[in-house]
Amino acid sequence: MQALPRDFYNRNTIQVAHELLGKFLVHHFNGEDRIGKIVEVEAYLGPQDLAAHTSKGLTPRTRAMFGPPGHAYVYLIYGMHHCMNVVTEPEGTGTAVLLRALEPVANLPVSASGPGRLCKAMGIDKGHYGHDLCSPTLFIADNPDPAPIRIVERPRIGVDYAGEWAAKPLRFYIEGSPYISRK
DNA sequence: AGGATGATATCC
DNA sequence: GATATCATCCTC
C-alpha cells in the first residue's frame, strides 16, 4: 500500500474532505500495520472560520496547520484525547480536515469511531505533530477495493461557539456506515 | 448530567 | 501568574 502524493492534499479543503472518505489510514506501528477506512471527517476552512484553530492566528500550536499540505496536525483536547487532522491547501492557508471515525480494517485494538478513539486505536499522539503523511510509517492510501458511496453533509460537532460557522454543513460521512461517531 | 485533566490563549 | 475554555469520552 502506497501513500497518496502531496498533490492530493494541495487542493480545495472540501474536495479533499470528500475524497478522503473511503480511503485507508495506515500506521506502521511496532511491527504491525494498523489500518482503518475513513468514514467520517470535518473540514476546517482557515482563519476566517471561527471554528478552526487557525482563526486564532499563527501560534506555536497552529504552526503545523499553517504548514505545507500532507502533514498531520495533532493536538490534545480536554486534557485527555488526541485529535488528528490532515493539512490541506498551500502552506500558509491554515486549512485542514479532521479525521473523526474509521471502520476497522486491520489491527485496531479498540473502536475508532470518534476523533479521540480514532487516535487511541491507531496509536497516534502528539509525537505525530507535524508528521509528513508522505512517509512509510503513517500515511493515507487509496482503498484497494473501492465501493461507490453516498456522502451525507451535516453541521460540525462540538463547535457551537463559532457563530454562523457552527451551522455550516462541513461534516461529511459515508451514508449508512455503522461506524460514524454519532447520528 | 457531570467529571476528568492539561495545554493554550487571554486576560491582569 | 491566574483563569476560562476546549474540534471528547466515560460513568452515573
Side-chain angles (χ1 to χ4, degrees):
Chain A
M1 207 129 41
Q2 188 162 358
L4 295 171
R6 195 171 312 283
D7 286 349
F8 175 87
Y9 304 99
N10 191 20
R11 297 180 298 148
N12 175 274
T13 302
I14 291 174
Q15 184 171 1
V16 174
H18 274 77
E19 294 186 23
L20 280 173
L21 291 173
K23 295 236 179 322
F24 280 14
L25 178 63
V26 184
H27 188 198
H28 195 64
F29 193 65
N30 56 337
E32 65 182 20
D33 278 323
R34 293 191 178 183
I35 305 176
K37 186 174 86 171
I38 299 169
V39 298
E40 179 183 346
V41 299
E42 285 178 4
Y44 287 87
L45 300 186
Q48 78 277 15
D49 176 357
L50 279 324
H53 291 167
T54 45
S55 66
K56 298 297 179 187
L58 179 57
T59 67
R61 184 197 201 190
T62 59
R63 193 185 85 253
M65 191 163 160
F66 276 111
H71 290 249
Y73 167 52
V74 181
Y75 64 91
L76 186 65
I77 192 65
Y78 300 114
M80 37 174 71
H81 302 291
H82 294 276
C83 295
M84 175 181 173
N85 301 247
V86 300
V87 179
T88 58
E89 307 200 29
E91 180 169 3
T93 311
T95 48
V97 176
L98 170 68
L99 305 183
R100 286 193 59 90
L102 305 177
E103 173 182 333
V105 173
N107 297 318
L108 295 195
V110 298
S111 162
S113 297
R117 293 189 188 124
L118 182 152
C119 285
K120 183 181 179 191
M122 289 296 289
I124 290 165
D125 60 27
K126 287 201 80 176
H128 297 89
Y129 182 88
H131 179 90
D132 186 0
L133 296 172
C134 302
S135 83
T137 53
L138 176 64
F139 59 92
I140 296 168
D142 271 320
N143 185 334
D145 186 22
I149 60 171
R150 294 174 56 130
I151 296 174
V152 180
E153 304 186 351
R154 290 288 182 273
R156 293 172 292 186
I157 302 292
V159 296
D160 292 344
Y161 60 88
E164 63 179 27
W165 284 89
K168 293 185 184 295
L170 294 174
R171 173 180 178 232
F172 310 111
Y173 60 85
I174 296 178
E175 183 179 86
S177 171
Y179 297 98
I180 60 175
S181 59
R182 25 212 287 206
K183 284 284 186 190

